[in-house]
Structures are given as C-alpha cells and as structure tokens.
C-alpha cells in the first residue's frame, strides 16, 4: 500500500476528533480498527516523537476525567485492546505531551447479522468543528441480528430507528430490534425498479447496471424527499440518545441520507463523498439473492457496491435545481438556515 493510500484509509476508516490543540497537530494518522484476530487496535503518529497517553470509555462524550487510562507514556504509536470489548462500544482519547487531545473510535460497529452499520461521527467540518460520535448511525437491513448483536445495539442508546425500505422490502425481511423502547418509524411506498428492468430488458451487463444506478440517484431527490424530511425532523428534535436510519443494503438510499446530513453539518463535499464510498468496504450483496440469481458476476459486483459518479449525480441534480444542498434542505426537507444552525449546535462540537 502506498503512503498516500494508507493515509487516506486512515482518515476514512476511523476519523478523529480534535478536542484541543496547537496550530500544528501533535497527533496524526490515528486509527482504530479490528485485527484479523478480532482485537481492537489503535495506532497513531506523534509528530514530535513524544509519548502519548491513551484513555478509554464506553460513553462517546465522556470527559477525560471520566475515562480509564489504558496506556500511559506510550511511545511506540500503537496499543492493542485484547480481547476487544464484546458488547460495549469503545471510545478513546489520545493525549500528547503538549496537551493536544483527540477523541477516536472505530467507525464500523461490528455485527454478525447486519452489514455496513456505521457511526457517522468524527468528521471535521469546514469551520473546524467535528461531528459528534455516538449520535447518528446508519446501517443495512436489520432482519438478521443475532442475540449478541441485539445486546450490543442495546448499549448504543438508539431512541429512533427509521426504515427507508419499501413496503415489500420490510415485509420480506422484518426488522429485529432489542426491547429498548426505541421508536421504529417507516414510510409506506412502492419501490420503482422500472429503470433497472428497462436497462436489463435485453440482458444485464456491468455497463447497463452502472447507467441504471447513476440514473437512480438524481431521481431520489424527489422519490425519497418525504423520508428524508421525516429523518431531519427527528434530528431537529435533539434530546438524549442516538438516531439510526437504514435501507436494505445501507449504501444507496442510506448513503444519500448520510450525504445530506453531513453536508448540513458543514462537512466538505469531498469528505462526504469519501464516506459514501466506504460502503465498498463494509457491504456486499449475496450473489444467491433471488433478484441477482443468474446474473453475471460483473453485474453483481456493480450492484454490490457504490461508485463516485452515483453520489455526484445526486449532488449535480440538487445543485442544478436548488443551488446546492442548503437550497434543497430549505425548499423540500423543512430545514432552513435556523434549522441548519440548530443541527450544527446539536451534532457538532
């Protein structure tokens, strides 16, 4: 792996939160990730070569004084949590010798029965703030959650779950959810797949699949604005606990919703696009799904992932019709300038 690729992967897979620091960051390239053995590994670079103190907690907003020291004066730029906590999600603060602090977490929430379950927090905004960890989650379908998954999710304090799927999708794969008192919400609609059927009328191909996917995204501007509006209305309520939204694959409809949220919070578009592309690491469609049965492998590969032109087509439509995301938020999703200010107050720091 090249140095530039490694640095980009570090930013995308973990994303860190700067709490306080100097004009020159002391800690860079911080990562939190699962090893092949299932342990939780931390790594970082201290630019001045100084040792770093590592603190750990289960509360995403815990103050340093509330956290447990797991490694003091750590000079090798790495720490391993072994075994990784089985049920609770872990958050870390790295403190350098000059007092600079970073809050760090694993972006993916590892589950046995659901893919692409990710924390939306940690991204830096254009004005130097950071999206809060542990407040907004996204996922693929939740119908296969195991008892261990349910126990892990119960600790995330999710109070609101929005299902972006159509009536037929929800009926074929009902959501499983722990008894947490969370509110499960959905909007009844029928999924329009006519564009895909037309594209594949004379036989599927990777090129036709890409064309159909690229055409799908601009259409979402209108077809899913009711769902997007309802999720933003909930986010604007604020309050304790976290919000989760999901669709079947957790990459297309969920990807657009995430792109809108991060954009509203002031995250630069390039970072939003990079987050969108993370689904390629964390989701794959099963080739034996009835909808994919008999399709060529290259078509399955296209439908299994996401590509940059898809989300760029969505943004292009929003920019053309509304002058940008903020125009779309105000005109269609019930989020005006005051709403954007409230969202940023609630979900960034």
């Amino acid at each position: 792996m090249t140095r530039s690729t490694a640095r980009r992967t570090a930013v995308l897979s973990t994303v860190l939160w700067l709490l306080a620091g100097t004009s020159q960051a002391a800690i860079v390239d911080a990562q939190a990730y699962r090893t092949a053995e299932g342990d939780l590994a931390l790594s970082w670079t201290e630019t001045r070569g100084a040792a770093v103190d590592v603190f750990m907690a289960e509360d995403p907003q815990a103050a340093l004084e509330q956290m447990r020291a797991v490694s003091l004066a750590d000079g090798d730029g790495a720490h391993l949590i072994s075994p990784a906590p089985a049920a609770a999600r872990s958050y870390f603060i790295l403190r350098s010798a000059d007092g600079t602090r970073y809050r760090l977490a694993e972006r993916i929430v590892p589950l046995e029965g659901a893919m692409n379950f990710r924390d939306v927090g940690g991204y830096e905004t254009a004005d130097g703030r950071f999206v809060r960890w542990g407040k907004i989650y996204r996922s693929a379908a939740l119908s296969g959650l195991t008892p261990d998954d349910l126990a892990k999710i119960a600790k995330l304090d999710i109070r609101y779950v929005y299902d972006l799927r159509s009536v037929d999708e929800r009926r074929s794969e009902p959501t499983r959810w722990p008894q947490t008192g969370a509110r499960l919400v959905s909007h009844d609609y029928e999924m329009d797949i006519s564009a895909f059927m037309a594209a594949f009328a004379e036989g599927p191909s990777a090129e036709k699949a890409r064309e159909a996917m690229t055409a799908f995204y601009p259409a979402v501007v209108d077809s899913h604005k009711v769902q997007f509006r309802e999720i933003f209305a909930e986010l604007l309520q604020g309050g304790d606990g976290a919000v989760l939204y999901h669709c079947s694959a957790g990459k297309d409809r969920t990807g657009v919703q995430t792109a809108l949220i991060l954009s509203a919070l002031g995250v630069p578009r390039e970072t939003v696009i990079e987050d969108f592309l993370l689904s390629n690491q964390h989701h794959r469609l099963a080739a034996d799904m009835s909808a994919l049965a008999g399709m060529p492998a290259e078509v399955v590969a296209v439908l299994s992932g996401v590509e940059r032109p898809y989300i760029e087509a969505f943004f292009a439509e929003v920019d053309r019709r509304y002058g940008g995301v903020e125009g779309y938020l105000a005109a269609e999703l019930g989020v005006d300038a005051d709403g954007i200010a409230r969202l940023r107050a609630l979900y960034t720091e």
Side-chain angles (χ1 to χ4, degrees):
M1 179 181 291
T2 65
R3 178 175 174 80
S4 62
T5 302
R7 289 175 63 88
R8 177 175 175 142
T9 301
V11 171
L12 291 179
S13 62
T14 58
V15 185
L16 41 84
W17 173 28
L18 173 64
L19 295 174
T22 62
S23 58
Q24 179 180 358
I27 301 171
V28 298
D29 293 346
Q31 302 185 61
Y33 57 93
R34 296 281 161 154
T35 67
E37 294 75 26
D39 298 324
L40 184 54
L42 309 180
S43 67
W44 63 89
T45 297
E46 216 288 347
T47 58
R48 301 177 181 93
V52 167
D53 299 327
V54 182
F55 301 86
M56 175 178 174
E58 295 181 10
D59 180 355
Q61 304 304 320
L64 185 67
E65 296 74 20
Q66 300 171 312
M67 304 181 81
R68 174 168 62 93
V70 295
S71 183
L72 296 177
D74 196 320
D76 66 356
H79 184 72
L80 188 69
I81 310 296
S82 180
R89 181 160 162 78
S90 298
Y91 302 87
F92 302 90
I93 285 181
L94 309 180
R95 181 180 66 184
S96 63
D98 69 353
T100 301
R101 303 176 188 179
Y102 288 87
R103 196 182 297 270
L104 177 68
E106 184 182 16
R107 181 161 300 287
I108 192 74
V109 179
L111 300 172
E112 298 174 35
M115 293 181 288
N116 216 7
F117 197 119
R118 286 151 49 192
D119 193 324
V120 176
Y123 289 116
E124 185 175 6
T125 66
D127 62 356
R129 296 172 68 83
F130 290 78
V131 180
R132 292 180 185 269
W133 289 103
K135 295 296 291 183
I136 305 173
Y137 294 96
R138 54 175 291 174
S139 180
L142 304 169
S143 56
L145 295 176
T146 68
D148 285 346
D149 293 339
L150 294 172
K152 184 177 293 186
I153 286 174
K155 291 182 175 292
L156 299 180
D157 194 26
I158 295 171
R159 58 175 171 77
Y160 177 90
V161 181
Y162 196 99
D163 192 336
L164 285 160
R165 298 178 300 167
S166 68
V167 173
D168 288 342
E169 290 172 292
R170 300 199 310 269
R171 185 180 297 120
S172 63
E173 292 187 294
T175 293
R176 295 193 67 195
W177 193 258
Q179 297 299 315
T180 61
R183 195 155 54 97
L184 307 185
V185 182
S186 60
H187 176 78
D188 289 344
Y189 72 100
E190 300 297 330
M191 192 72 171
D192 183 3
I193 60 171
S194 57
F196 289 89
M197 294 178 66
F200 295 163
E202 297 180 2
S205 69
E207 181 181 1
K208 292 176 181 177
R210 284 194 178 90
E211 290 174 356
M213 290 296 294
T214 305
F216 169 78
Y217 276 74
V220 169
V221 171
D222 293 315
S223 66
H224 285 71
K225 63 186 178 183
V226 172
Q227 294 92 317
F228 298 155
R229 186 186 306 125
E230 291 176 350
I231 292 172
F232 271 109
E234 181 62 29
L235 289 171
L236 285 167
Q237 292 295 316
D240 296 331
V243 169
L244 164 69
Y245 49 88
H246 73 95
C247 57
S248 291
K251 65 184 184 69
D252 300 308
R253 290 161 289 182
T254 296
V256 171
Q257 176 66 77
T258 303
L260 288 169
I261 290 172
L262 290 177
S263 298
L265 295 178
V267 176
R269 182 165 293 186
E270 185 59 31
T271 304
V272 173
I273 293 173
E274 289 173 345
D275 174 79
F276 172 78
L277 294 173
L278 278 181
S279 286
N280 289 326
Q281 298 181 28
H282 302 302
H283 182 269
R284 284 294 181 270
L285 294 177
D288 61 352
M289 289 178 58
S290 59
L292 302 179
M295 284 194 179
E298 61 270 21
V299 175
V300 174
V302 171
L303 297 178
S304 295
V306 292
E307 299 183 13
R308 187 184 185 97
Y310 303 168
I311 195 65
E312 287 182 334
F314 172 80
F315 279 132
E317 183 72 0
V318 167
D319 292 345
R320 181 183 68 83
R321 293 171 56 183
Y322 301 96
V325 170
E326 291 191 7
Y328 179 55
L329 291 169
E332 304 290 357
L333 306 187
V335 185
D336 58 12
D338 289 341
I340 288 175
R342 176 167 172 77
L343 288 172
R344 295 180 180 182
L346 288 169
Y347 300 104
T348 70
E349 53 191 341

